[in-house]
Amino acid sequence: MSNKEKKIVQESIPESYNNADILSIVIPTFNSVKLLLRCLEALEKQSASKTEFEVTVADDGSTDETLEMLAQFKARTELNLQWISITNSGPGYARNAGVAKSSGSWIGFIDADVIPDLDWVKNAIRLIQQKPDAGAFEGRTEVTQRNLATPFTHQTENTDGGRYPTCNFLVRRNLANFYPTYLIPFREDTDLAFSILASGYSIIFAPQMIVEHPPLSSSYSRPMVLARRYYYDGLLARRFPSRYKYELDAHQIFGRKIPHLKRKIYSIFAISQIVFLAALFFGFSVKEMFLPLSAYLTGLCLTVVAGLRYANLIDLSLKDWLVFFIQLHILPWVMGYSLLRGWFDFRGEPEFTA
């Protein structure tokens, strides 16, 4: 265990059971007290017996009322609930600390901002019994409450598998080890999945293991924050060069899987901007502007579709549309800069070996 993982500042008193066959659910959290409470209440209503699973909350140094809420909730719940609090170090450290405190031979990872289905635990236990040789299971993550979605919210969806979000992931304990260099919630889950696959285990898509992922609150700054996260693509690409190139963020288009689809759309738009501006700079005639303008509009349309995939268009204000249009032209460059910087900064990172 690293020095950071030893910075445990507070923890609850664990229950007095030691059952290696119990399912351990680990929930990382940081300043998300209301969302965490909603998640815990959904776990409290599970159809499975509460003797079959435990819940460990890994608090990543929250400064809100998270610890007070957990103490109050534990006093009135029948859940096998425990928690651990570490110095703020990122979701990978938090999950690793949660795993260390848990007792089960299988770990169910969910996030504080999801709502697990009533049968999530029951279906998870059934999967473990039916396919004991699997390395992990990725569940079905559905975006709900779409009326709250805007181009400035954040939501995660996984309805076909192959995306590996750890907001809905079930994994063997001996494989549940996050690479701690990812200091924000991005790519650390893909790194875990790639390490499992590279170690010779399978990851099975389990559509019966369902969680809801309502949109996170809308903020004009959110798209920029999300674009800057691509810095950590540099780390993932160094550790898993082949899988990064051919498997990351693959989407089905006309029956064909295309990796890095979002990045490719943004790249097309960035290039189309350059071509269009160059045509203006060199004084192209109206006839000569046809191709540059067509390229620009094609890139713009592709990016608009990607940005509005979940958005509730009816409730967008004129200001929303204006900010969205301006941001569309900036985001490809923020993403591109972050990718290049990450590729350079992690140039000494060794490739993963099982």
Side-chain angles (χ1 to χ4, degrees):
M1 185 179 294
S2 69
N3 290 334
K4 281 192 176 181
E5 288 174 305
K6 293 178 182 177
K7 295 178 182 177
I8 299 171
V9 298
Q10 182 176 353
E11 62 181 32
S12 71
I13 299 174
E15 298 290 342
S16 59
Y17 56 84
N18 289 297
N19 184 355
D21 294 325
I22 202 170
L23 172 64
S24 295
I25 297 174
V26 173
I27 310 172
T29 188
F30 175 71
N31 287 348
S32 303
V33 61
K34 292 182 179 179
L35 297 175
L36 176 60
L37 177 59
R38 183 184 66 183
C39 181
L40 292 175
E41 288 174 341
L43 290 173
E44 194 176 33
K45 299 173 184 175
Q46 288 293 299
S47 59
S49 168
K50 291 180 177 58
T51 61
E52 296 182 277
F53 68 102
E54 67 177 4
V55 179
T56 302
V57 174
D59 174 47
D60 191 22
S62 295
T63 57
D64 62 5
E65 298 79 29
T66 293
L67 296 179
E68 291 83 349
M69 182 277 289
L70 287 171
Q72 294 171 6
F73 188 84
K74 184 176 177 67
R76 61 177 173 81
T77 186
E78 295 180 2
L79 283 178
N80 291 323
L81 174 65
Q82 57 185 349
W83 60 90
I84 187 169
S85 186
I86 65 171
T87 302
N88 182 247
S89 307
Y93 276 109
R95 291 192 184 99
N96 287 343
V99 171
K101 189 171 180 63
S102 300
S103 59
S105 55
W106 280 81
I107 308 295
F109 289 112
I110 60 176
D111 283 353
D113 57 1
V114 305
I115 307 171
D117 179 75
L118 180 68
D119 295 324
W120 193 92
V121 170
K122 183 175 72 174
N123 288 330
I125 293 174
R126 185 176 296 164
L127 285 166
I128 294 169
Q129 294 170 343
Q130 292 175 346
K131 301 181 184 295
D133 295 329
F137 301 90
E138 57 171 330
R140 179 183 174 90
T141 302
E142 302 175 348
V143 176
T144 57
Q145 302 179 38
R146 290 175 182 252
N147 61 303
L148 302 177
T150 75
F152 317 107
T153 56
H154 173 61
Q155 47 278 317
T156 298
E157 186 172 60
N158 183 33
T159 57
D160 299 309
R163 302 188 64 78
Y164 317 120
T166 43
C167 63
N168 188 11
F169 203 69
L170 180 64
V171 62
R172 290 174 173 275
R173 181 186 186 88
N174 64 307
L175 299 175
N177 182 41
F178 286 83
Y179 197 62
T181 308
Y182 299 87
L183 301 181
I184 61 172
F186 189 67
R187 299 305 192 210
E188 86 287 356
D189 43 10
T190 309
D191 188 290
L192 174 68
F194 283 177
S195 71
I196 293 170
L197 294 170
S199 299
Y201 289 89
S202 62
I203 299 177
I204 299 172
F205 179 59
Q208 66 270 47
M209 205 168 68
I210 301 170
V211 302
E212 298 178 30
H213 195 297
L216 296 180
S217 59
S218 184
S219 169
Y220 286 151
S221 65
R222 192 177 296 280
M224 294 296 178
V225 172
L226 296 178
R228 288 198 296 269
R229 300 189 311 172
Y230 282 84
Y231 171 76
Y232 284 98
D233 267 34
L235 176 58
L236 187 66
R238 298 295 187 183
R239 281 174 50 78
F240 303 94
S242 179
R243 292 187 184 276
Y244 175 85
K245 183 176 181 180
Y246 297 108
E247 300 178 28
L248 186 66
D249 290 343
H251 292 264
Q252 287 277 358
I253 303 294
F254 301 116
R256 182 181 176 184
K257 272 197 170 184
I258 302 178
H260 301 281
L261 182 61
K262 183 176 181 180
R263 197 180 76 182
K264 287 175 179 175
I265 289 174
Y266 276 54
S267 298
I268 290 171
F269 188 39
I271 294 171
S272 72
Q273 289 182 59
I274 295 173
V275 171
F276 181 65
L277 290 174
L280 289 175
F281 179 80
F282 288 108
F284 279 27
S285 67
V286 174
K287 185 177 180 180
E288 292 171 329
M289 283 295 296
F290 177 75
L291 286 178
L293 180 59
S294 298
Y296 166 74
L297 292 176
T298 299
L300 177 63
C301 289
L302 289 172
T303 312
V304 166
V305 171
L308 297 178
R309 181 182 177 190
Y310 299 102
N312 175 22
L313 304 183
I314 297 175
D315 294 334
L316 293 183
S317 66
L318 181 60
K319 181 181 179 182
D320 290 337
W321 282 109
L322 180 60
V323 172
F324 174 62
F325 183 78
I326 293 172
Q327 284 188 349
L328 278 184
H329 293 77
I330 301 173
L331 288 174
W333 304 101
V334 175
M335 180 187 292
Y337 169 76
S338 300
L339 284 165
L340 290 173
R341 185 179 159 216
W343 184 262
F344 178 80
D345 287 352
F346 294 111
R347 61 193 181 280
E349 188 71 34
E351 186 173 346
F352 173 85
T353 54

Coordinates of all heavy atoms in Angstrom, one line a residue, residues 61 91 208 261 281 340 344:
G61 N -11.8 12.4 1.3 CA -11.5 13.7 1.9 C -12.5 14.7 1.7 O -12.2 15.9 1.5
P91 N -10.1 9.1 -7.1 CA -11.0 7.9 -7.0 C -10.2 6.6 -7.0 O -10.7 5.7 -6.4 CB -11.9 8.1 -8.2 CG -11.1 8.9 -9.2 CD -10.3 9.8 -8.4
Q208 N -28.4 -7.4 -17.0 CA -29.4 -7.6 -15.9 C -28.9 -6.8 -14.6 O -29.7 -6.7 -13.7 CB -29.7 -9.0 -15.6 CG -28.5 -9.8 -15.0 CD -27.6 -10.5 -16.1 OE1 -27.3 -9.8 -17.1 NE2 -27.3 -11.7 -15.9
L261 N -14.3 7.5 -31.2 CA -15.3 8.2 -32.1 C -15.4 9.7 -31.8 O -15.3 10.6 -32.6 CB -16.7 7.6 -32.0 CG -17.7 8.2 -32.9 CD1 -17.3 8.1 -34.4 CD2 -19.1 7.5 -32.7
F281 N -8.7 33.8 -45.1 CA -7.5 34.5 -45.0 C -6.9 34.8 -46.4 O -6.4 35.9 -46.7 CB -6.5 33.8 -44.1 CG -5.1 34.5 -44.0 CD1 -5.0 35.6 -43.2 CD2 -4.0 34.1 -44.8 CE1 -3.8 36.2 -43.1 CE2 -2.8 34.7 -44.7 CZ -2.7 35.8 -43.8
L340 N -2.0 16.1 -26.1 CA -0.6 16.3 -26.4 C 0.2 16.4 -25.1 O 1.3 15.8 -25.0 CB -0.4 17.5 -27.3 CG -0.9 17.3 -28.8 CD1 -0.8 18.6 -29.5 CD2 -0.2 16.2 -29.5
F344 N 3.0 13.8 -23.7 CA 4.4 14.2 -23.3 C 4.7 13.9 -21.9 O 5.8 13.3 -21.6 CB 4.6 15.7 -23.6 CG 5.9 16.2 -23.3 CD1 7.0 16.0 -24.2 CD2 6.2 16.9 -22.1 CE1 8.3 16.5 -23.9 CE2 7.4 17.4 -21.8 CZ 8.5 17.2 -22.7

